[in-house]
């Protein structure tokens, strides 16, 4: 198994990159996807959240109202801490199990984790960073995801800075341009990953060189 980390700030286009790597054969472990699964109705994580935050975080159909949760935790550091204490251990355990299931294979496993740089919960062989100008990211969030500019900037402020992510990067995928340009960068990244595989890199092995498209 070649274990790689993929990260990028909100609005960077990381999900598009993740999908592109999956199309090329990578096994993607999507941290946000794991969170959504564990927060589905009937799940222990959702039940624990309701116990703490109350029924006001539920939509009429019993599913999680994510905006209601965001309205609580993004203005209250203690509530955010409480949310993380509920969610992170369960998510970590599930991700660990999915990694373990691939450890004895020859797969390229990509950990798609928004806060990979901030928390450093894993030791991938290399880290891929999707890099976007923060103002471009804000515009994307406003135009395509219904954020207000204020909300977008508030969420970005709680993540690592652009400079911090780039300092941890072994490969940088720039995404300030067109979808066609991004596709070319994803292909270049995949070629670089094949080089790592040929070198016999595995989980925890340091990448020898910083690469950039």
């Amino acid at each position: 198994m070649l274990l790689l980390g993929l990260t990028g700030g909100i609005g960077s286009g990381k999900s598009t990159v993740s999908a592109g790597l999956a199309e090329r054969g990578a096994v993607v472990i999507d941290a946000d996807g794991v969170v959504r699964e564990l927060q589905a109705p009937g799940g222990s994580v959702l039940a624990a959240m309701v116990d703490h935050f109350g029924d006001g975080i539920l939509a009429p159909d019993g599913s999680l109202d994510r905006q209601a949760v965001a309205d609580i935790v993004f203005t209250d550091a203690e509530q955010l801490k409480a949310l993380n204490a509920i969610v992170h251990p369960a998510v970590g355990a599930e991700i660990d199990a999915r990694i373990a299931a691939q450890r004895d294979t020859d797969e390229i496993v990509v950990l798609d984790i928004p806060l990979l740089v901030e928390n450093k919960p894993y030791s991938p062989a290399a880290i891929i960073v999707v890099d976007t100008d923060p103002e471009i990211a804000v515009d994307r969030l406003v135009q395509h995801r219904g954020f207000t500019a204020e909300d977008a900037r508030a969420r970005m402020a709680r993540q690592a800075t652009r400079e911090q992510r780039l300092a941890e990067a072994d490969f940088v995928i720039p995404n300030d341009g067109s979808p066609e340009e991004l596709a070319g960068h994803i292909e270049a990244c995949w070629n670089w990953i094949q080089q790592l595989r040929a070198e016999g890199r595995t989980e925890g092995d340091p990448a020898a060189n910083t690469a950039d498209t």
Side-chain angles (χ1 to χ4, degrees):
M1 176 187 72
L2 171 60
L3 184 69
L4 304 171
L6 173 66
T7 194
I10 186 170
S12 66
K14 178 176 60 62
S15 295
T16 301
V17 172
S18 178
L21 295 176
E23 289 172 0
R24 288 164 172 79
V27 174
V28 175
I29 301 175
D30 178 0
D32 284 343
V34 171
V35 171
R36 288 191 293 271
E37 290 177 25
L38 297 179
Q39 291 177 338
S44 60
V45 170
L46 180 59
M49 290 175 63
V50 172
D51 284 344
H52 180 81
F53 296 107
D55 292 340
I57 65 169
L58 295 177
D61 64 358
S63 64
L64 182 64
D65 183 340
R66 298 183 187 282
Q67 187 58 51
V69 177
D71 290 343
I72 295 170
V73 303
F74 284 109
T75 58
D76 188 325
E78 288 303 312
Q79 292 284 44
L80 179 60
K81 183 177 179 180
L83 175 65
N84 289 340
I86 294 169
V87 175
H88 286 180
V91 172
E94 179 62 24
I95 290 175
D96 288 345
R98 296 188 186 192
I99 293 172
Q102 299 295 333
R103 186 159 281 125
D104 294 330
T105 73
D106 293 326
E107 298 286 358
I108 294 168
V109 179
V110 175
L111 293 177
D112 180 347
I113 302 182
L115 301 182
L116 182 65
V117 169
E118 291 87 333
N119 297 332
K120 297 184 178 178
Y122 300 96
S123 299
I127 294 176
I128 302 163
V129 170
V130 185
D131 179 54
T132 303
D133 181 283
E135 289 307 308
I136 292 177
V138 169
D139 288 343
R140 288 175 181 161
L141 293 169
V142 171
Q143 293 178 23
H144 303 299
R145 293 177 57 181
F147 283 63
T148 65
E150 180 182 39
D151 187 21
R153 290 192 174 94
R155 296 193 187 210
M156 291 169 67
R158 286 179 168 81
Q159 296 184 332
T161 65
R162 184 183 193 183
E163 292 73 21
Q164 288 170 329
R165 279 190 293 270
L166 290 174
E168 298 289 336
D170 296 291
F171 195 97
V172 178
I173 296 180
N175 187 23
D176 289 342
S178 68
E180 292 75 19
E181 289 172 321
L182 179 59
H185 295 314
I186 294 172
E187 183 64 22
C189 181
W190 185 249
N191 291 336
W192 173 77
I193 290 171
Q194 298 308 311
Q195 293 175 8
L196 293 185
R197 175 189 250 176
E199 293 168 7
R201 300 287 176 82
T202 60
E203 178 182 1
D205 288 346
N209 299 300
T210 297
D212 194 322
T213 54

